[in-house]
Amino acid sequence: MKKYLFSIFFVWMVVFTGMTIAEEPAASPATVSPVTKSFFAESSASVDKQWIGLYRKKQLTVKTEYPTLRRLAAQKIAIHHQTTMQSVWGKESQPIYAWLEKHPVFLENFLLALDGKNDDIPAAMQIVKHLVTKYPNQVEEYPDLTIAIAVVWDQPEMMGRGSQRQFNAADPPDPANYEDLFLYYTHAKSPYKFRMQTLPWEVLCYVVSHKTSDAERRWAFATYGNNIKKLGEKYHDVPYKTGNPPPLAEKPYTLSNMKQYGGVCTCRADFALALCRTLTVPAFYGGAGFPKYYGGHSWIMWLELHDIQSNSFRFTFENCGRYSNRKDYVSQYKSPHTKQEENDGTILLRFYRLGVNISAARHSEILTLMYPMIVDRMQPSFQEQLKLLLDINAVSPGSPYVWKEIAKFSRENQFTKRDVPKILQLYSQLLNEFADSPNYLPPLVSDLLSASEIKDQREKLYARLFAQLDAKKRPDLILAAVRDFARAELDGNNEDIALKNLANAALKYYEEASLIAPVLNMIEQIVENGKKENQNKISVFYTRFLDLVLKKTSLPKDYRLDMLKRANACFGKYNQSDLQARAKSEIQKLEQAQPK
């Protein structure tokens, strides 16, 4: 167990700090600056010892200890990256050190913003050095904006304007660089200025990630700057046009040209995204690839900000251009910070937690980073670990890390029969905390409800999840969760319950053409490997399923044909000759039918 926990701690250090096995050598005390002296005065082990002290005193989750925890976590990163810091920032004679000495909170937040796995850390440090050295007063006034620019613009080659190449459009002239945007946003007037001064860097990453030129920014302000409410709806200001060549072929891919000449959904999304970010609206590109039976699609999502305070903000999550009836279009896009794929559910949860209390959300994140080290060093009991995780979660509810760890306890059989009331309480809390960001629920529920002590209640508990996801109109998540439930029931030799729930889900969500195949695959595998009497049940199921699919003529023809062929094969395998003949007849009619 101890060896396992140590490996968790090592993984944390790799992800959090980018640590490799070969640590950076310690800097010579004679060459470090005053600010780095304060950070390097103690060893990494000494910093861990202070964390352990706070744990023993039960002060980790005390709100007033957040500044101390932030300093310790940042110090850990600085110790690891001290050689890089000195290489980029120079010796103590450099002006940046005197400025950082007076602004330690900025330094701590910047170090904690660095993603050791995905950021180009020297490049981010170089951006900070340049901005602090050249514009110290503006950095002091806009600290989170500076951090956002540093962690987004560390890899500017990853930043482009969406589908420009798709339309054979020319490059826009005079693209912005990070310094252009920094000066642009720091010279903004109210209400734009207040946004850029007050929103956390985590949100501002979704504002500063664009290369819109000065001329385009001026055009955007002249055209739309008087009212930025529901700005994403300007998606529709781009006329929907197709053609060969495309309307924008060989024309500069600028905002004004997009609006004048038009394009397809990707062009509309590019326009709305650049427009929103130019006018200080945090925005996201919504895009789905090409799910089976349908083409791809692009839309725009954004935060409609209603109330911004020094440590909180309220918002609604808006979208424009998304097909409300296409649940298989799940948005996937690259984070402007990490450059890794994420979806709207992931980011929505992050912003909900920040919106309630920025400091508390960051406090909670630091605590989750500490947790493996504390468990490794202190070897707390299962109940003590559970309490610590719940205390961490209470600082800022809805921590995915916390709930993964709690759910893992169930998967590893740490709960006992006397813990059943606690499991049920945790389940209710889990559904409540992730009600508005349900993407996390299927895997978390699968683990939490894997405890053998609640096997008799599992079907009823999953029914609550299905109802909650159905209310949120997320059949994609329901069809994933029902497979998890079926696997759990099969492990308990409850084949009939597994089949019943899979069949009910398939019949209810038969219209989800791109999502239904894994459920049907699972039904067929269970019947093939299970009880012989279920062979008649699958024939009854497919008869009902085909009745629904064939009557819904708006479903793609290819989908209806595939379902007929799948059922036909099943009828043949289990010697249902009459049903097989009917299926073959329907296949022939559909193949010969002329498109409307």
Side-chain angles (χ1 to χ4, degrees):
M1 179 68 176
K2 189 171 183 179
K3 181 178 179 182
Y4 171 68
L5 291 168
F6 178 79
S7 68
I8 294 177
F9 178 59
F10 181 79
V11 169
W12 164 64
M13 288 300 296
V14 171
V15 172
F16 185 41
T17 68
M19 184 184 76
T20 59
I21 293 175
E23 287 282 359
E24 293 190 6
S28 166
T31 62
V32 294
S33 65
V35 71
T36 52
K37 277 183 180 176
S38 67
F39 267 63
F40 304 151
E42 299 172 276
S43 66
S44 181
S46 175
V47 173
D48 289 349
K49 187 176 180 181
Q50 293 179 64
W51 281 347
I52 295 298
L54 290 168
Y55 167 71
R56 284 175 169 155
K57 294 176 183 177
K58 303 186 185 305
Q59 292 182 317
L60 286 177
T61 57
V62 175
K63 181 171 65 174
T64 54
E65 292 297 334
Y66 168 59
T68 299
L69 296 169
R70 182 183 60 214
R71 175 182 59 79
L72 291 172
Q75 195 171 2
K76 190 93 170 181
I77 299 171
I79 290 168
H80 172 64
H81 289 297
Q82 56 186 299
T83 301
T84 301
M85 291 169 69
Q86 289 176 26
S87 174
V88 176
W89 290 348
K91 307 301 181 185
E92 65 270 21
S93 59
Q94 294 296 319
I96 185 172
Y97 289 118
W99 191 92
L100 291 171
E101 191 72 32
K102 295 177 182 178
H103 301 87
V105 173
F106 171 85
L107 176 60
E108 291 162 9
N109 282 331
F110 167 63
L111 291 171
L112 286 165
L114 295 174
D115 184 300
K117 187 176 181 181
N118 298 303
D119 278 329
D120 183 337
I121 291 177
M125 289 182 175
Q126 181 59 49
I127 291 172
V128 167
K129 177 185 177 181
H130 178 75
L131 296 179
V132 166
T133 303
K134 197 169 180 180
Y135 310 105
N137 294 335
Q138 288 94 322
V139 174
E140 181 177 15
E141 193 175 0
Y142 295 84
D144 278 68
L145 171 63
T146 305
I147 293 170
I149 286 178
V151 299
V152 167
W153 280 82
D154 60 321
Q155 299 171 72
E157 69 280 1
M158 302 286 286
M159 198 185 311
R161 180 162 286 177
S163 301
Q164 173 187 343
R165 302 302 175 208
Q166 174 187 344
F167 307 118
N168 196 28
D171 290 334
D174 304 318
N177 58 43
Y178 75 81
E179 188 172 356
D180 294 335
L181 289 185
F182 179 77
L183 293 175
Y184 165 70
Y185 287 122
T186 56
H187 286 79
K189 297 180 180 179
S190 293
Y192 311 103
K193 177 178 180 177
F194 182 71
R195 288 182 175 214
M196 305 312 289
Q197 287 178 319
T198 313
L199 287 171
W201 68 263
E202 294 92 336
V203 174
L204 291 177
C205 284
Y206 295 85
V207 175
V208 303
S209 179
H210 66 96
K211 294 183 177 180
T212 312
S213 68
D214 178 67
E216 289 184 87
R217 296 195 301 267
R218 291 176 184 275
W219 179 89
F221 258 102
T223 310
Y224 295 103
N226 290 330
N227 185 5
I228 60 173
K229 289 184 177 179
K230 303 287 185 180
L231 190 62
E233 294 180 355
K234 304 308 177 185
Y235 173 98
H236 292 299
D237 280 14
V238 176
Y240 188 88
K241 291 183 181 179
T242 60
N244 189 15
L248 281 162
E250 300 183 4
K251 299 178 180 68
Y253 201 55
T254 62
L255 294 174
S256 57
N257 279 350
M258 286 186 236
K259 184 176 181 182
Q260 179 179 352
Y261 296 104
V264 295
C265 59
T266 46
C267 180
R268 292 173 142 192
D270 289 344
F271 174 84
L273 181 71
L275 181 65
C276 283
R277 290 180 174 179
T278 297
L279 298 181
T280 71
V281 176
F284 323 84
Y285 187 96
F290 289 82
K292 193 173 183 182
Y293 309 116
Y294 298 100
H297 183 53
S298 300
W299 60 92
I300 179 71
M301 298 175 287
W302 72 95
L303 298 189
E304 189 74 17
L305 296 163
H306 304 297
D307 182 34
I308 304 172
Q309 302 294 331
S310 61
N311 198 39
S312 64
F313 56 94
R314 289 192 305 107
F315 68 91
T316 52
F317 197 56
E318 306 283 354
N319 74 81
C320 185
R322 191 170 198 163
Y323 296 149
S324 60
N325 64 330
R326 290 298 312 282
K327 304 308 177 187
D328 50 349
Y329 278 156
V330 177
S331 181
Q332 295 285 344
Y333 50 86
K334 287 188 177 180
S335 161
H337 176 198
T338 67
K339 321 306 187 284
Q340 302 300 301
E341 280 203 348
E342 59 185 358
N343 57 53
D344 45 7
T346 304
I347 199 160
L348 187 56
L349 175 62
R350 187 185 312 149
F351 287 167
Y352 275 139
R353 298 177 69 213
L354 284 163
V356 172
N357 188 307
I358 296 168
S359 296
R362 291 174 175 173
H363 185 174
S364 173
E365 289 303 302
I366 291 172
L367 291 173
T368 61
L369 295 170
M370 281 188 207
Y371 173 78
M373 182 273 295
I374 291 171
V375 172
D376 179 54
R377 299 287 179 85
M378 300 304 295
Q379 297 289 298
S381 67
F382 158 63
Q383 293 295 342
E384 289 170 336
Q385 289 179 58
L386 179 60
K387 183 180 186 308
L388 176 56
L389 286 168
L390 291 172
D391 287 346
I392 292 172
N393 188 66
V395 172
S396 178
S399 166
Y401 176 89
V402 164
W403 280 104
K404 285 176 186 175
E405 291 298 306
I406 291 173
K408 189 167 67 177
F409 289 148
S410 187
R411 191 180 71 233
E412 295 176 349
N413 299 312
Q414 301 225 38
F415 288 110
T416 64
K417 278 195 172 182
R418 64 183 179 183
D419 292 317
V420 168
K422 186 64 176 178
I423 297 173
L424 299 180
Q425 179 187 351
L426 289 169
Y427 182 63
S428 295
Q429 185 178 347
L430 175 65
L431 295 187
N432 180 60
E433 289 189 14
F434 290 89
D436 292 318
S437 47
N439 296 59
Y440 293 94
L441 282 174
L444 292 175
V445 167
S446 175
D447 280 351
L448 186 61
L449 298 188
S450 64
S452 58
E453 289 75 17
I454 59 165
K455 61 182 180 182
D456 294 336
Q457 302 183 58
R458 191 180 289 127
E459 186 174 18
K460 180 177 68 176
L461 294 171
Y462 259 99
R464 287 176 57 190
L465 172 66
F466 298 151
Q468 182 166 313
L469 295 176
D470 189 59
K472 290 293 180 180
K473 299 181 180 179
R474 293 299 302 270
D476 57 320
L477 299 181
I478 293 175
L479 294 176
V482 77
R483 298 198 305 275
D484 290 336
F485 170 68
R487 279 188 282 268
E489 292 303 300
L490 290 172
D491 288 343
N493 296 315
N494 295 319
E495 181 180 322
D496 291 341
I497 293 177
L499 275 176
K500 179 187 74 174
N501 280 272
L502 288 166
N504 288 342
L507 293 169
K508 183 170 184 177
Y509 301 107
Y510 71 94
E511 294 181 59
E512 305 303 324
S514 300
L515 302 171
I516 205 73
V519 174
L520 300 180
N521 291 342
M522 198 168 188
I523 290 173
E524 292 174 11
Q525 289 166 5
I526 292 172
V527 171
E528 184 175 357
N529 301 319
K531 297 186 292 187
K532 190 171 182 179
E533 55 264 35
N534 282 327
Q535 294 175 5
N536 287 327
K537 290 182 182 179
I538 196 172
S539 298
V540 172
F541 160 74
Y542 263 126
T543 301
R544 294 176 60 194
F545 183 76
L546 287 179
D547 284 344
L548 295 169
V549 170
L550 295 178
K551 286 177 183 177
K552 193 77 171 182
T553 56
S554 59
L555 289 169
K557 178 181 176 179
D558 287 349
Y559 171 60
R560 288 179 286 149
L561 271 173
D562 282 353
M563 295 304 101
L564 277 166
K565 291 175 181 178
R566 178 189 280 268
N568 177 60
C570 187
F571 295 148
K573 179 184 287 188
Y574 299 117
N575 302 313
Q576 300 286 340
S577 55
D578 290 345
L579 294 175
Q580 188 177 27
R582 286 172 55 190
K584 286 181 177 178
S585 174
E586 292 291 346
I587 290 171
Q588 187 175 25
K589 284 194 296 184
L590 192 55
E591 287 178 334
Q592 294 174 352
Q594 296 296 318
K596 295 182 180 180

